[in-house]
Amino acid sequence: MPGPGAFWIGEEEINEVVDVLKGGHLSRYGSYDDPNFKHKVISFEEEFAKFSEVKHCLAVSGGTSALINCLVSMGVGPGDEVIVPGYTFVATMSAVLFAKAVPILAEIDESLTMDPDDFERKITPRTKAVIPVHMLGNPCDMDRIMEIADRHGIMVLEDSCQACGASYKGRPVGSFGKMSAFSLNIFKTITAGDGGMLTTNDDELFKRAFAFHDQGHLPYRAGAEIGGRTIIGMNQRVNEVSGAVALAQVRKLPRILDVLRKNKAQLKSRLGGLPGFRFRRINDEGECGTILTLIFDTEELAERFCKEVGTKVVYESGWHVYAHMEQILNKCTTSSFKCPYECPVYGRDVRYRNDMLPQTDAILKRSVNISVGVVDGALAAGFGININSFEEEIDEAADQVVRALRKIMA
């Protein structure tokens, strides 16, 4: 049950991969003078940067790697607080913890993205950054988030992992903040099986990000460097085979988005005006169109609807909801035991409980995701259609929803 890009893997991806294998050059590094070096990773980075209207793109080993890299490159570290929404994949929180900073959870609103009002309420003198998550392909309210962040001197890192290709008021997501992280895993808009990328318009941040992703090396080295390394880095490199798949996929991205949006519009048009629910608020029509979310009037109606169609409410979607992140819940940011003191490394003791975001809980317990392009039970989106669904299949899914609604509203 993959995302839309995985449904469309075909001759283009095969040809790009075969091109690499015939050359026998699998590393992302090489000389353009070498005909066996096909520079697929670099070509992907250049094409995605152009698509995203940013100066720099760096391919890395995953969306989580991209988030960690961005935080470190932006200088986030011990004692800093980073505001994240309570509805996001666990990687958004864990990346902050790996950067030795403190995740501060904020409520979502009925767009299922960060509530700008609660973001502002959660700001303290320790707040260094905010991570708005373009959840389920829906761009955040970036006008308000950027205004609040700029007014308070807070850096913005966009988590665009679930929104590759989306736009907000004509600008691609990922082009608003200091940096942005994307994912290429199997459930995302485009895929290389795994992997990810980060983007930025800042030359210095790009140099730091490249260095962090490859043991401190400067961008686009051809061989081992002696001296000149500026930071201690990691190995987040992507090989040429993954780069080849990603390159073929990014070239399909405009067509993927066109089909998703058309299919979602057809499905949504059949359900508009029916009683018992309203649609999730879409912050901009440039959303990806991967998911159609219904927000029911009551929790009872949502549960009854789920039983009729064989799915579950969004609140039950595992590690995408803060309340189910058991590796973090009931722990503080400094230890797994009660700490009565302020920690000199992490700052104040912040604890995570499964009831700490009542607005988020109330929304997610009434929300139901219907798949349009991302078919993922872990997102509570195992019911619906996929990118290859014909008009008749879309109508049948709509009929099933209508029948269920009539039954629960009778």
Side-chain angles (χ1 to χ4, degrees), residues 168-395:
Y168 177 82
K169 296 192 175 179
R171 285 179 58 183
V173 300
S175 65
F176 292 85
K178 284 278 190 183
M179 303 186 82
S180 183
F182 295 82
S183 173
L184 289 170
N185 95 349
I186 197 69
F187 296 105
K188 300 305 189 287
T189 317
I190 58 173
T191 185
D194 263 314
M197 53 279 196
L198 60 85
T199 59
T200 183
N201 282 308
D202 188 301
D203 295 343
E204 188 59 33
L205 285 177
F206 173 68
K207 287 174 64 176
R208 287 181 59 83
F210 196 100
F212 184 77
H213 117 289
D214 187 20
Q215 312 296 354
H217 288 291
L218 295 173
Y220 304 129
R221 67 182 177 91
E225 293 176 340
I226 305 299
R229 291 182 289 276
T230 54
I231 63 173
I232 297 173
M234 300 178 66
N235 177 6
Q236 298 180 335
R237 295 190 304 270
V238 172
N239 65 62
E240 284 286 274
V241 174
S242 294
V245 176
L247 179 60
Q249 286 268 296
V250 76
R251 290 170 177 169
K252 296 179 178 180
L253 186 51
R255 287 195 296 123
I256 287 172
L257 294 168
D258 285 346
V259 173
L260 290 175
R261 290 164 180 163
K262 178 180 70 69
N263 289 354
K264 182 174 180 178
Q266 180 183 341
L267 181 61
K268 193 172 181 179
S269 68
R270 291 285 313 279
L271 306 179
L274 295 174
F277 74 94
R278 55 189 174 276
F279 295 116
R280 168 180 60 151
R281 187 173 77 245
I282 299 299
N283 290 319
D284 191 275
E285 292 305 316
E287 61 138 344
C288 289
T290 48
I291 299 285
L292 176 64
T293 304
L294 314 182
I295 302 179
F296 284 83
D297 296 342
T298 66
E299 291 180 23
E300 180 187 7
L301 282 174
E303 291 286 356
R304 290 174 59 193
F305 176 84
C306 287
K307 288 180 181 178
E308 290 297 322
V309 301
T311 189
K312 57 190 176 184
V313 294
V314 177
Y315 182 80
E316 300 299 332
S317 55
W319 287 354
H320 293 90
V321 180
Y322 81 96
H324 304 307
M325 299 177 188
E326 68 271 11
Q327 65 272 63
I328 295 171
L329 290 178
N330 301 316
K331 295 179 173 63
C332 73
T333 51
T334 57
S335 65
S336 60
F337 57 89
K338 186 175 182 180
C339 177
Y341 307 106
E342 183 172 282
C343 174
V345 176
Y346 282 95
R348 63 190 176 110
D349 179 13
V350 177
R351 295 183 175 276
Y352 307 101
R353 307 182 317 275
N354 63 4
D355 60 353
M356 66 188 296
L357 298 176
Q359 177 175 297
T360 297
D361 296 345
I363 292 170
L364 297 183
K365 288 178 180 178
R366 294 183 289 115
S367 297
V368 178
N369 285 335
I370 299 175
S371 167
V372 179
V374 173
V375 185
D376 183 4
L379 269 177
F383 163 77
I385 60 175
N386 63 64
I387 193 170
N388 289 332
S389 294
F390 298 110
E391 288 189 14
E392 294 80 5
E393 295 173 309
I394 299 170
D395 284 338

